[in-house]
Amino acid sequence: MSARGPLNFPYITPIPSCAFYDSVCEIGDYMPNHKIDVSEILANLPLFRQLGQDDIALLVQGSREIRPQKGEFIFQKGDPSHGFYAVVHGQIKLAFPSVQGAEKVVAIIGPGQSFGEAMMFMEKSYPVFAQALTDSLLLHISKQALFTAIEHDNSFARKMLAGLSIRLHGLIHDVEAYSLRSGAQRLVGYLLQNENGQNGQMEFDLPASKQIIASRLNLTPETFSRILHQLTEAGLIQVDGRRITIPDIEALRQYDH
Amino acid sequence: MSARGPLNFPYITPIPSCAFYDSVCEIGDYMPNHKIDVSEILANLPLFRQLGQDDIALLVQGSREIRPQKGEFIFQKGDPSHGFYAVVHGQIKLAFPSVQGAEKVVAIIGPGQSFGEAMMFMEKSYPVFAQALTDSLLLHISKQALFTAIEHDNSFARKMLAGLSIRLHGLIHDVEAYSLRSGAQRLVGYLLQNENGQNGQMEFDLPASKQIIASRLNLTPETFSRILHQLTEAGLIQVDGRRITIPDIEALRQYDH
DNA sequence: CGCCCGCTTGATCGTCATCAAGGGCGGTGG
DNA sequence: CCACCGCCCTTGATGACGATCAAGCGGGCG
């Protein structure tokens, strides 16, 4: 869920994960042995943890690195699927194109998360497009490799079923939010979902620009800004750029307007 | 998709499938050998077709019949999942409860379709409730039985993955519709999705009451009625109770308002 | 320094929900 | 057979939420 956590990939070279730095690096620059890294990266993805050494090896065979720059498209809506993607670092947005440049963000994918799995199991093409929000490093795992992995390890199939189920659950949550919650309620819900068991106070950065978050919540930037302002005036949050402070989580949860 | 098709379960006793008749029948009344029927029903569900005889037998062991009357709840939001449900005949709606009796219909499930699979693979409880729209006959397949079936036949796991993917795709479609389409556009889209390759003319019955359909499209009954009226005045559709006639499919598809 | 971009703030408009009332139909009971 | 009731649907009047249009602010980077 939380796309804003720090990189938890210690096996990646310890160069700062900031997109600014990454943008000046080329494949092989600081990863002469990048094949080995791929194996480790794959093995530590939530989806592939608990997978055998040999299965990982098969997946590595079918995977390749992709290093999109900020703004670059990974695939367009309507493109056919040949596999799926795992984010090593960076940030990817999935969105619908709309008339005249407007678009609706469906998801913001961060490190350790993956996307595009569902489309592999259907004949249909991507219903959304994927675009890098920052310079990123992705792994593309081919449909072929994944299917043989499923064939090999049937506990892996259950893992994927669980993964898709979670995603499905998330979408149902979205549908509920869009259907019967106001903009302010959606925003409050979004802020609180970053809650990590802390009670009382809480502080964090928005994982992306306010425009992107707004779209994710199905709001215009203007409305988003106004709601943030209202919440601030009500003393429920404090905003400093992307930094959000919630002095009283419970109070914010009570908010109903 | 089409929940309004006629029953395609010839192996069910040829008593009219009308809910009115069904409601006066008890288990065993006209199905003394209902265990055999269960096996055939399961084997012909889209999800289970291509499954071996022995796997079906395992599923039968873990399944039981449920005959909810109109209005009866199958499960409530928040209930834990112990398996999933397949609709033999009748109609089930999945919806979110909302304040003061208002509710939002997420899906209308018809014969041959199933629901509740996704929750089996997670620890979470149902995010929606399920209620019978008509007297219905369901099969409940236990989590246990399904998991052993997956264990047994790994092509079955792929089948389930495909099933979940389709559902996921549908939800993404809904999110797109809710996010960036007007009420009229959603309704038009809904009418056209019943399109079965016919071109030119087209005629069919709405699969449920207009209130239910309205909720499915995230509209109030009032707005739904008004849009129907507009489309009628524009000559794009004709409405007679639940019967919808579309004189020119292409013209309706052009509609953009 | 100046531009661009992300964000904010204000004014106005449209879509759709809400509230209210009435019509049509089927089922039930007198 | 008719009257009555409940339910589904329709139609009208009003209002609110949020989008759109327009303008201005402020910071980062060239």
Side-chain angles (χ1 to χ4, degrees), chain B:
Chain B
M1 281 296 177
S2 165
R4 67 195 169 69
L7 275 185
N8 46 359
F9 291 89
Y11 38 87
I12 292 284
T13 51
I15 286 183
S17 66
C18 165
F20 178 68
Y21 285 107
D22 289 354
S23 65
V24 297
C25 299
E26 298 297 331
I27 296 181
D29 254 352
Y30 55 92
M31 276 180 153
N33 55 345
H34 72 282
K35 264 307 175 198
I36 289 176
D37 284 320
V38 168
S39 156
E40 285 203 53
I41 290 168
L42 282 179
N44 281 278
L45 283 175
L47 194 57
F48 296 139
R49 226 163 274 160
Q50 300 180 332
L51 221 53
Q53 197 61 31
D54 45 347
D55 286 333
I56 294 287
L58 282 173
L59 289 179
V60 171
Q61 296 293 334
S63 75
R64 68 173 200 275
E65 296 181 13
I66 302 178
R67 293 177 179 272
Q69 294 186 338
K70 174 175 178 173
E72 198 173 309
F73 290 92
I74 319 302
F75 54 74
Q76 294 284 351
K77 171 167 179 172
D79 284 355
S81 162
H82 300 113
F84 76 105
Y85 301 84
V87 178
V88 179
H89 68 240
Q91 219 171 33
I92 308 294
K93 81 164 182 227
L94 305 183
F96 301 110
S98 177
V99 287
Q100 55 178 6
E103 58 186 44
K104 157 65 183 131
V105 175
V106 177
I108 304 170
I109 315 285
Q113 300 182 297
S114 53
F115 59 98
E117 303 96 326
M119 287 309 113
M120 289 187 303
F121 301 104
M122 307 174 55
E123 76 293 351
K124 313 198 89 168
S125 52
Y126 288 114
V128 297
F129 68 83
Q131 186 181 21
L133 287 177
T134 67
D135 296 356
S136 303
L137 170 57
L138 310 181
L139 291 178
H140 177 272
I141 294 93
S142 78
K143 189 191 292 192
Q144 196 87 49
L146 191 80
F147 277 15
T148 63
I150 289 180
E151 208 81 19
H152 242 233
D153 183 346
N154 55 4
S155 84
F156 177 55
R158 268 224 297 275
K159 209 102 205 291
M160 290 230 52
L161 282 167
L164 286 190
S165 297
I166 289 170
R167 193 142 322 171
L168 210 138
H169 190 87
L171 278 172
I172 287 187
H173 178 84
D174 282 358
V175 167
E176 175 173 28
Y178 294 157
S179 300
L180 36 79
R181 290 230 230 283
S182 72
Q185 289 171 327
R186 290 200 296 276
L187 175 47
V188 167
Y190 178 79
L191 294 179
L192 288 176
Q193 95 183 7
N194 290 18
E195 172 189 13
N196 285 326
Q198 320 157 45
N199 40 11
Q201 192 148 348
M202 170 176 175
E203 194 175 348
F204 61 91
D205 282 349
L206 294 175
S209 76
K210 292 184 183 174
Q211 308 182 61
I212 297 288
I213 310 283
S215 177
R216 176 72 248 278
L217 295 172
N218 209 23
L219 296 171
T220 58
E222 293 95 327
T223 305
F224 184 82
S225 176
R226 279 185 250 269
I227 295 174
L228 235 40
H229 191 78
Q230 289 169 212
L231 291 176
T232 302
E233 286 214 321
L236 292 169
I237 64 173
Q238 289 150 32
V239 182
D240 176 24
R242 283 192 186 177
R243 185 132 210 99
I244 306 288
T245 306
I246 302 175
D248 184 349
I249 294 180
E250 200 49 44
L252 184 60
R253 189 179 290 119
Q254 299 305 324
Y255 184 82
D256 202 11
H257 184 272

Side-chain angles (χ1 to χ4, degrees), chain A residues 1 16 23 43 54 68 80 87 104-106 117 121 123 129 140 165 177 180 186 229 254:
Chain A
M1 275 298 176
S23 67
D54 44 348
V87 178
K104 156 67 186 132
V105 175
V106 178
E117 303 97 324
F121 301 105
E123 77 292 352
F129 68 83
H140 178 273
S165 296
L180 34 80
R186 290 200 297 277
H229 191 77
Q254 299 304 327

Side-chain angles (χ1 to χ4, degrees), chain A residues 11-241:
Chain A
Y11 37 84
I12 291 285
T13 50
I15 286 183
S17 65
C18 165
F20 177 68
Y21 285 107
D22 289 355
S23 67
V24 297
C25 299
E26 296 300 330
I27 296 182
D29 255 353
Y30 56 93
M31 278 179 151
N33 54 344
H34 71 285
K35 264 306 175 196
I36 289 177
D37 284 322
V38 167
S39 155
E40 285 203 55
I41 290 167
L42 283 179
N44 281 279
L45 283 175
L47 193 58
F48 296 140
R49 226 163 275 161
Q50 299 179 333
L51 220 57
Q53 197 61 32
D54 44 348
D55 286 333
I56 294 287
L58 282 174
L59 288 178
V60 171
Q61 296 294 334
S63 74
R64 67 172 201 275
E65 295 181 15
I66 301 177
R67 295 180 177 268
Q69 294 186 338
K70 174 175 180 172
E72 198 173 311
F73 290 92
I74 320 301
F75 53 74
Q76 294 284 350
K77 171 168 180 174
D79 284 356
S81 162
H82 299 113
F84 77 103
Y85 301 83
V87 178
V88 178
H89 68 239
Q91 218 172 32
I92 308 293
K93 81 165 182 225
L94 305 183
F96 301 111
S98 177
V99 288
Q100 55 178 6
E103 59 186 41
K104 156 67 186 132
V105 175
V106 178
I108 304 170
I109 315 287
Q113 301 182 297
S114 53
F115 59 97
E117 303 97 324
M119 286 309 112
M120 288 188 302
F121 301 105
M122 307 174 52
E123 77 292 352
K124 315 197 88 168
S125 52
Y126 288 115
V128 297
F129 68 83
Q131 186 180 21
L133 287 177
T134 67
D135 295 357
S136 303
L137 170 56
L138 310 181
L139 291 178
H140 178 273
I141 293 94
S142 78
K143 188 190 296 192
Q144 198 85 47
L146 191 80
F147 277 16
T148 64
I150 289 179
E151 209 81 20
H152 243 235
D153 183 346
N154 54 6
S155 83
F156 177 54
R158 268 222 298 276
K159 208 105 208 291
M160 289 229 55
L161 282 167
L164 286 189
S165 296
I166 289 170
R167 195 144 319 175
L168 210 139
H169 190 88
L171 278 172
I172 288 187
H173 178 85
D174 282 359
V175 167
E176 175 174 26
Y178 294 157
S179 299
L180 34 80
R181 290 229 231 285
S182 71
Q185 289 171 327
R186 290 200 297 277
L187 175 47
V188 167
Y190 178 79
L191 294 180
L192 288 175
Q193 94 184 7
N194 290 20
E195 172 189 11
N196 285 327
Q198 321 156 45
N199 40 10
Q201 191 147 347
M202 170 179 175
E203 194 175 349
F204 60 92
D205 283 348
L206 294 175
S209 76
K210 292 185 182 174
Q211 310 181 62
I212 297 288
I213 309 284
S215 177
R216 175 73 248 276
L217 295 171
N218 210 22
L219 295 171
T220 58
E222 293 95 328
T223 304
F224 183 82
S225 175
R226 279 186 251 270
I227 295 175
L228 235 39
H229 191 77
Q230 290 170 211
L231 291 176
T232 301
E233 286 214 321
L236 292 169
I237 65 173
Q238 290 151 31
V239 182
D240 174 26

